[in-house]
Amino acid sequence: MAVSFHVRSNSFPSRTHPQAAHVDEQLSRLRSSEEASTSSTYSICKRIDNLQELHESLGKLICLPVTQQALAQGQNKKAVEQLLDGSLRILDLCNISKEALSQMKEGLMEIQSILRRKRGDLSGEVKKYLASRKYLKKTFHKVQKPLKFAQDVESLAVFGQAEVVTIALFDSLFSYMFGSKTCGKWSLVSKLMSQKRVSCEAQANEFTRVDSEFQSEKAMKIEDVQILVSCIQDLEDGVESLSKSLIKYRVSILNTLGQ
C-alpha cells in the first residue's frame, strides 16, 4: 500500500517530491519484509538497518522548509505532539531491548566461560539465566500492551506509518527473543491489512534452542551458546544504531516545534 500525504496544507511536500517518494519506497520495502513468514537474526537485523535508514530519511523530510512551514501551522500542533510521544515510546522500546540483550549476553558469557573451563557453578548460572529470561519476557508483555499509534493524524500520515512499522519490528524482535507463539498485535494488524494468512507458530531459533538445552541440562553445547552470543551482539549493535537515528529524528521534530 503506497503512503500518501493526506494534508490540508498545500505547502506540504507531495509524493512527487524526491524525498517523499524515497520515504514511500522505504516504507514499502519494510512492509514487504514484515510480511515474510519466517524470522531470523539476519532478517531482523536487516529490518533494523532499513528502519535506521527510514528515520534518517524522515529527519531530512522534516528539515525541508516546506515541511516545517506546514508543521508549524496551528491545526498540526496536536499531530506533531503525538508524533513526539510516539518517538519517545519507540526510544523506550530501544532502551528496554538494549538492556535485555546486554543482560542475556552477560549471563551467556558467564555460562560459556564455565563450559570452557569445565569448572564453576554451571547449574546455578543456568538457573539464573533462565529466571532472567522469564522475568524479561513478562516485562516485554507489559510494555507491549499500552502501545498505540496515531491513526487519525491526517496531516502526518507518512510519519504515522513509520511508527507502525517500527513498533512491528520490536514486536517481531520480542517474539523472536522469547519464542512467542502468538502474533503481535501490530504485526497482525499489518498482515490483516495485506489480506494474507499468517502463521503464528513459534519457530525454533538460536534463543529457543539454547533454552531447550539449558532446561534439559543434558546436551549443553558451547557452540550453540557462542552462536547465540554472536546473534545477540548483532542485534544489540543494530538496536544501538537505530536508537541513535531515532534520537536525531526526534531532535528534528523538536527543532520544528521550537521555531
Side-chain angles (χ1 to χ4, degrees):
M1 180 177 66
V3 176
S4 59
F5 291 94
H6 302 290
V7 294
R8 300 182 181 89
S9 172
N10 293 327
S11 62
F12 205 83
S14 68
R15 286 181 60 216
T16 56
H17 190 284
Q19 190 61 35
H22 182 54
V23 168
D24 188 48
E25 180 184 343
Q26 289 174 305
L27 280 166
S28 297
R29 185 165 60 246
L30 279 161
R31 287 195 195 90
S32 296
S33 63
E34 183 190 341
E35 290 167 7
S37 59
T38 59
S39 291
S40 65
T41 301
Y42 174 80
S43 66
I44 292 176
C45 285
K46 185 63 177 176
R47 284 173 64 187
I48 292 174
D49 289 343
N50 289 339
L51 278 171
Q52 180 183 347
E53 294 174 2
L54 171 65
H55 283 88
E56 289 173 355
S57 296
L58 289 171
K60 293 176 182 178
L61 189 63
I62 289 175
C63 290
L64 290 175
V66 65
T67 309
Q68 293 191 348
Q69 181 181 354
L71 297 181
Q73 295 177 359
Q75 70 264 31
N76 290 327
K77 182 179 179 180
K78 183 178 179 181
V80 175
E81 290 174 350
Q82 288 179 314
L83 189 60
L84 274 173
D85 289 342
S87 68
L88 187 60
R89 288 197 302 271
I90 293 172
L91 276 172
D92 285 342
L93 290 177
C94 275
N95 291 331
I96 291 170
S97 300
K98 287 190 293 183
E99 291 174 8
L101 289 165
S102 177
Q103 186 173 328
M104 285 187 289
K105 185 177 69 174
E106 183 179 344
L108 286 167
M109 290 180 72
E110 182 62 32
I111 292 170
Q112 187 178 2
S113 176
I114 293 173
L115 286 170
R116 185 179 292 113
R117 292 183 288 110
K118 297 182 179 180
R119 65 175 184 270
D121 186 10
L122 179 59
S123 179
E125 289 299 327
V126 166
K127 288 179 180 178
K128 188 189 300 185
Y129 171 80
L130 291 174
S132 173
R133 292 262 297 158
K134 186 176 181 180
Y135 172 78
L136 289 171
K137 185 174 182 178
K138 289 181 178 179
T139 300
F140 281 129
H141 280 315
K142 290 179 181 178
V143 299
Q144 281 178 292
K145 288 180 181 178
L147 291 178
K148 296 179 181 179
F149 51 89
Q151 302 180 66
D152 57 346
V153 187
E154 188 178 24
S155 62
L156 296 176
V158 68
F159 301 103
Q161 289 291 334
E163 184 176 331
V164 172
V165 296
T166 305
I167 289 175
L169 175 278
F170 283 102
D171 181 79
S172 296
L173 176 60
F174 297 162
S175 296
Y176 189 76
M177 288 164 58
F178 297 104
S180 173
K181 292 185 178 180
T182 57
C183 287
K185 65 185 88 174
W186 306 127
S187 294
L188 185 57
V189 167
S190 176
K191 291 180 173 71
L192 285 174
M193 288 173 63
S194 69
Q195 303 293 313
K196 292 186 178 182
R197 284 186 171 273
V198 182
S199 172
C200 300
E201 290 301 317
Q203 297 169 338
N205 59 49
E206 299 89 352
F207 290 93
T208 57
R209 186 178 302 114
V210 169
D211 279 356
S212 297
E213 291 177 13
F214 284 178
Q215 288 164 356
S216 66
E217 296 187 3
K218 292 180 181 179
M220 293 186 194
K221 299 177 182 178
I222 190 170
E223 294 83 3
D224 288 340
V225 177
Q226 290 172 334
I227 290 171
L228 179 53
V229 169
S230 177
C231 290
I232 289 176
Q233 186 63 58
D234 289 342
L235 292 168
E236 199 174 11
D237 291 343
V239 174
E240 176 63 30
S241 295
L242 176 59
S243 179
K244 291 178 180 178
S245 295
L246 285 166
I247 290 172
K248 292 179 181 178
Y249 168 64
R250 180 174 168 79
V251 168
S252 297
I253 302 172
L254 287 169
N255 288 340
T256 299
L257 284 178
Q259 292 179 357

